[in-house]
Amino acid sequence: MTRRQPKPPTSAAPRPPAPGAGPGALDAAQRAALLAGTHGDPFAVLGPHDGGVRVLLPGARAVTVVGADGSRAPLADDGTGLFSGPAAAARPGAADAYQLDIEWSEARQRVADAYAFGPLLPAASLQGLAAGDWRAALDWLGARPATIDGVAGLRCAVWAPNARRVAVVGDFNSWDPRRHGMRLRHEAGVWELFVPDVAPGMRYKFAVTDATGAVRFKADPHACRAELPPATASLVDDATPYPWTDGDWMRARAGRHAADAPIAIYEVHAGSWLAADGGACPWHQLADKLPAYAASMGFSHIELMPIMEHPFGGSWGYQPLGLFAPSARFGPPAAFAHFVDRCHAAGVGVILDWVPAHFPDDAHGLARFDGTALYEHDDPREGYHPDWHTLVYNLGRAEVRAFMIASALHWLQRFHVDGLRVDAVASMLYRDYSRQPGEWIPNRYGGRENLEAVDFLRTLNQAVREQVPDAMMIAEESTAWPGVTAPVADGGLGFHYKWNMGWMHDTLRYLGEDPVHRKHHHGELTFSMVYAYAERYVLPLSHDEVVHGKGSLLRKMPGDETARFANLRAYLGYMWAHPGKKLLFMGGELAQAIEWNHDAPLDWNLLDDPARKGVQRLVGDLNRLYRDLPALHARDAEPAGFAWVVLDDSDNSVVAFLRTDGAAQLLAISNFTPVARSGYRVGVPLAGRWAEILNTDAGGYGGAGGGNLGQARSGPDPAHGHAQSLTLTLPGLSTLYFLHQGE
């Protein structure tokens, strides 16, 4: 690129230096701008010029240019930290031709000159970034350790098109914004600089000067590592690749994510699953225990609530600012990679919650990054979220879309994460989400749909399918938006799965009713099958249902303690038989009595209670049956895999249905009253023996032990449209599974 030249000398300025004499004196305005840290084009005046060197090093005692041949050329100080002078070794574009020997008051430093390096970012990548190419954002933006012209250091690039000036500040320059002003690449609004001799672990930020001259110290939006909150600096990440050992898992995981696979997800908050162990790294603690526990319980995946760096711990990670950095609360990035590796070794996948809908307005973050609404919308009717008091990403900007997609692929590629659960999709899809009339702006057609967000989500899911085709994308979408899991080519959003929020809310509302009243709410239990195949679903019992006064799963159930446990066991049995992948928030398997508290670990001592130990044993057995019996999962997304047997027995609050993979037949039947039903007739499609393979009232689960002595045989009495039927005993508040065993 052509560098901007200094202003022509005024009558008071000295004459231009003779060739080889070194850079001449600056005019007063440029000199003042350098010393004040306001000069917008430091490459025009610093570094190698006219056979010499000019450097700005406030506080230095002496500076000497040392050539590659050992030659030394002391620079003159004008008394302000601006050093200059002739140096035969200094040549533009030859950064390895000389170094600066700097004498400080208490140290001596030998370092390459940051202003001897040419442009860093390829022109094609800059053009791509301006057009929304996530590859350019992923490969070139942020501060990354690099070696250029044989010199090791930090390659920095940041998008701030409306800034008057940007500088890199950090531990390496005493946080002095005068020292490392950056070069503006006008074609993309990107500022760049290579800072030699910056080591991993050093803190840094960008000092951004806006159009008014105000300077803000901003964390790197693309930082891969951050300080432990409440500190806010970015950290230089170690670029050493993690030594992965999960090759077998990665080669086979596509089959584990398919629509016909058994997917049972254990949702975890990394900060409160386990009590902290002194100064040990939380990721290492979790790696030692969580993968083995999840595997022993039969879960196929762990889903982590957002681990991206976030300023406020009480947001549980759902208000992130570091979309490329694992939170320092849990350890460095390499420790997180170790955790994922250990999960894969245990046969357990890892899903991350990821938040592209909004971000907090903390001063060190993305808000008005270059003095303007850059990442967010300027108009609060589009750019402010009334529910969470956060800012909304402007997904109509190509560079913002590139930033977000780069973040998603960063987690999937660098950390071998198996999938992303995309948070708050509904808030992205509708311009009037949580807004009153007059508080939102219609789209260009006058509608409420957010067309830019729709385009972004489609582009995101296409990029993931192209780059990481065996990873999962899961939407938390709470409305009836059509085609969330339909292919983009067919007009859908392109997700693999969608949380079935309707199922969760309806069934929890039903279970919250006193059993004597449930017959009046029977439709809440069965309605989900009306739309069960409209999308590919995950059935979630998530963290959102056990906080903010909603009560734990156990406390949602009516009746005395014995009835609560029986209700919960019956509900879990119903859920695991219902079509759809499964998700259970941590503590649900312990039947915790109190709500989840993000500041306290799970109460593992609860397992001393036989009733709670029984619920844990039930969840493990449900997962294993779900995994081992294709009838329970192989046709999750196909209507042919399900058939109602008893749909309308609201008076008895009984439902029964068949699950099949086309060969095996499994009957699931639930009694949601405390009244045992003896002699209950249920039609079945096949004659012979039906083994009772699960009974939530079994003594081993904490129940009363009622049931059918392990089996039932069909008789020739027609019922429910079938020529054969079973006569069963249904314990009160129970779910039973029967597997056909043949004639």
Side-chain angles (χ1 to χ4, degrees):
M1 123 179 209
T2 302
R3 293 177 178 157
R4 189 194 314 163
Q5 296 301 314
K7 294 180 181 178
T10 65
S11 57
R15 295 166 59 187
L26 293 174
D27 68 55
Q30 296 219 52
R31 182 174 178 276
L34 276 177
L35 296 176
T38 60
H39 200 295
D41 187 13
F43 276 87
V45 291
L46 298 179
H49 290 277
D50 301 316
V53 175
R54 182 185 292 115
V55 297
L56 179 63
L57 293 166
R61 289 184 172 180
V63 180
T64 300
V65 175
V66 180
D69 59 359
S71 61
R72 299 179 66 84
L75 301 182
D77 181 9
D78 70 352
T80 64
L82 195 59
F83 294 79
S84 62
R91 302 190 306 277
D96 56 348
Y98 71 96
Q99 291 184 310
L100 302 175
D101 189 349
I102 308 168
E103 181 182 338
W104 303 97
S105 59
E106 297 180 357
R108 198 176 191 107
Q109 180 185 18
R110 179 76 68 86
V111 66
D113 184 357
Y115 294 98
F117 293 85
L120 304 176
L121 274 64
S125 294
L126 291 168
Q127 295 165 5
L129 179 66
D133 184 356
W134 58 263
R135 297 170 186 82
L138 186 61
D139 293 343
W140 291 102
L141 292 185
R144 304 287 185 263
T147 298
I148 299 178
D149 294 342
V151 179
L154 190 67
R155 189 197 72 210
C156 305
V158 63
W159 178 57
N162 303 302
R164 179 183 293 180
R165 180 181 185 270
V166 182
V168 188
V169 295
D171 293 332
F172 44 84
N173 63 10
S174 301
W175 297 87
D176 186 346
R178 297 173 294 177
R179 290 265 305 272
H180 286 103
M182 304 176 77
R183 173 197 287 120
L184 174 61
R185 303 294 297 274
H186 293 271
E187 59 267 51
V190 171
W191 300 77
E192 64 174 22
L193 186 72
F194 182 72
V195 186
D197 199 29
V198 176
M202 286 187 173
R203 300 177 302 159
Y204 73 97
K205 284 186 177 182
F206 293 114
V208 182
T209 305
D210 67 19
T212 71
V215 180
R216 298 175 177 87
F217 280 22
K218 293 285 192 176
D220 180 2
H222 290 257
C224 293
R225 190 175 176 188
E227 272 192 295
L228 179 67
T232 59
S234 303
L235 297 181
V236 178
D237 189 24
D238 187 347
T240 304
Y242 179 81
W244 292 96
T245 64
D246 63 348
D248 290 344
W249 169 274
M250 297 297 284
R251 283 186 288 272
R253 73 176 181 177
R256 302 173 186 266
H257 297 164
D260 61 356
I263 299 175
I265 303 167
Y266 187 49
E267 188 190 20
V268 170
H269 178 258
S272 59
W273 187 78
L274 193 67
D277 183 14
C281 171
W283 283 129
H284 285 300
Q285 292 181 59
L286 289 170
D288 288 342
K289 297 184 178 180
L290 179 53
Y293 175 76
S296 73
M297 289 293 294
F299 287 103
S300 64
H301 291 76
I302 293 165
E303 180 178 316
L304 295 171
M305 294 166 66
I307 62 159
M308 299 80 191
E309 195 56 81
H310 50 283
F312 176 46
S315 76
W316 314 328
Y318 289 101
Q319 294 185 14
L321 276 180
L323 262 66
F324 293 76
S327 177
R329 295 169 176 85
F330 311 126
F336 173 62
H338 170 73
F339 169 79
V340 176
D341 206 27
R342 298 316 302 154
C343 285
H344 289 171
V348 176
V350 178
I351 300 166
L352 297 185
D353 278 13
W354 183 69
V355 187
H358 62 121
F359 61 93
D361 61 359
D362 296 65
H364 71 282
L366 301 177
R368 302 196 74 81
F369 189 83
D370 63 358
T372 68
L374 190 63
Y375 286 87
E376 70 273 33
H377 294 274
D378 196 25
D379 191 320
R381 292 175 296 172
E382 295 181 286
Y384 179 75
H385 204 294
D387 283 356
W388 304 307
H389 307 292
T390 51
L391 303 177
V392 179
Y393 287 105
N394 182 356
L395 296 174
R397 297 200 71 155
E399 297 89 346
V400 175
R401 292 197 303 272
F403 167 76
M404 301 303 301
I405 295 172
S407 166
L409 289 167
H410 169 76
W411 297 101
L412 295 171
Q413 293 177 330
R414 176 179 176 181
F415 291 107
H416 290 199
V417 165
D418 299 288
L420 299 177
R421 176 266 196 185
V422 181
D423 182 64
V425 170
S427 76
M428 302 172 68
L429 292 174
Y430 300 96
R431 287 176 163 267
D432 62 347
Y433 186 91
S434 284
R435 299 179 188 273
Q436 299 301 315
E439 296 179 350
W440 59 282
I441 300 175
N443 64 34
R444 60 182 177 269
Y445 302 114
R448 58 195 287 255
E449 299 82 8
N450 189 325
L451 303 179
E452 294 80 10
V454 171
D455 181 67
F456 163 74
L457 292 170
R458 289 171 172 165
T459 304
L460 164 70
N461 287 322
Q462 283 181 307
V464 170
R465 287 176 186 267
E466 292 169 2
Q467 300 299 312
V468 197
D470 52 356
M472 285 189 293
M473 296 295 286
I474 304 169
E476 187 218 10
E477 202 285 307
S478 56
T479 75
W481 184 279
V484 172
T485 59
V488 171
D490 295 338
L493 296 183
F495 286 94
H496 296 87
Y497 298 101
K498 168 182 170 172
W499 274 22
N500 194 334
M501 312 290 280
W503 174 89
M504 177 178 68
H505 293 310
D506 287 349
T507 57
L508 286 176
R509 188 164 51 244
Y510 174 84
L511 266 295
E513 296 288 342
D514 188 294
V516 74
H517 300 305
R518 285 177 178 166
K519 63 182 179 180
H520 304 298
H521 302 271
H522 198 70
E524 293 176 355
L525 186 66
T526 62
F527 180 67
S528 58
M529 289 310 303
V530 172
Y531 60 87
Y533 303 105
E535 306 279 2
R536 290 186 298 277
Y537 284 114
V538 174
L539 308 182
L541 291 178
S542 73
H543 68 277
D544 271 333
E545 302 313 305
V546 293
V547 290
H548 301 321
K550 296 178 183 178
S552 67
L553 285 180
L554 184 68
R555 290 301 170 208
K556 292 178 188 295
M557 306 298 154
D560 61 18
E561 200 74 353
T562 298
R564 290 179 190 270
F565 276 99
N567 270 295
L568 178 58
R569 293 192 304 267
Y571 180 40
L572 293 172
Y574 175 78
M575 171 182 175
W576 255 257
H578 190 288
K581 312 310 179 187
K582 323 302 176 188
L583 180 142
L584 182 66
F585 181 57
M586 66 180 199
E589 83 279 18
L590 309 181
Q592 283 206 158
I594 60 173
E595 289 189 343
W596 168 57
N597 177 4
H598 70 273
D599 286 327
L602 293 183
D603 187 359
W604 294 100
N605 292 328
L606 291 174
L607 292 177
D608 293 336
D609 176 5
R612 289 179 166 84
K613 186 68 177 177
V615 173
Q616 185 195 45
R617 185 177 295 117
L618 172 64
V619 171
D621 286 351
L622 286 169
N623 276 332
R624 283 181 280 274
L625 286 172
Y626 173 63
R627 177 192 63 205
D628 295 341
L629 295 177
L632 284 172
H633 64 255
R635 289 185 171 178
D636 258 347
E638 301 175 32
F642 175 94
W644 282 114
V645 178
V646 179
L647 170 64
D648 55 0
D649 189 3
S650 57
D651 285 343
N652 291 313
S653 296
V654 171
V655 291
F657 51 84
L658 292 164
R659 298 296 310 276
T660 182
D661 62 342
Q665 294 279 347
L666 183 141
L667 173 72
I669 184 165
S670 298
N671 173 14
F672 285 110
T673 70
V675 179
R677 313 287 176 189
S678 60
Y680 194 93
R681 186 173 301 280
V682 182
V684 289
L686 298 173
R689 177 176 178 268
W690 290 71
E692 186 182 82
I693 61 172
L694 182 108
N695 180 345
T696 65
D697 192 51
Y701 301 143
N708 300 272
L709 301 178
Q711 66 174 346
R713 288 190 175 272
S714 68
D717 302 300
H720 304 115
H722 295 290
Q724 304 287 324
S725 61
L726 305 175
T727 302
L728 303 175
T729 295
L730 308 182
L733 299 175
S734 69
T735 294
L736 289 71
Y737 295 175
F738 293 88
L739 184 65
H740 183 248
Q741 298 287 292
E743 296 293 338

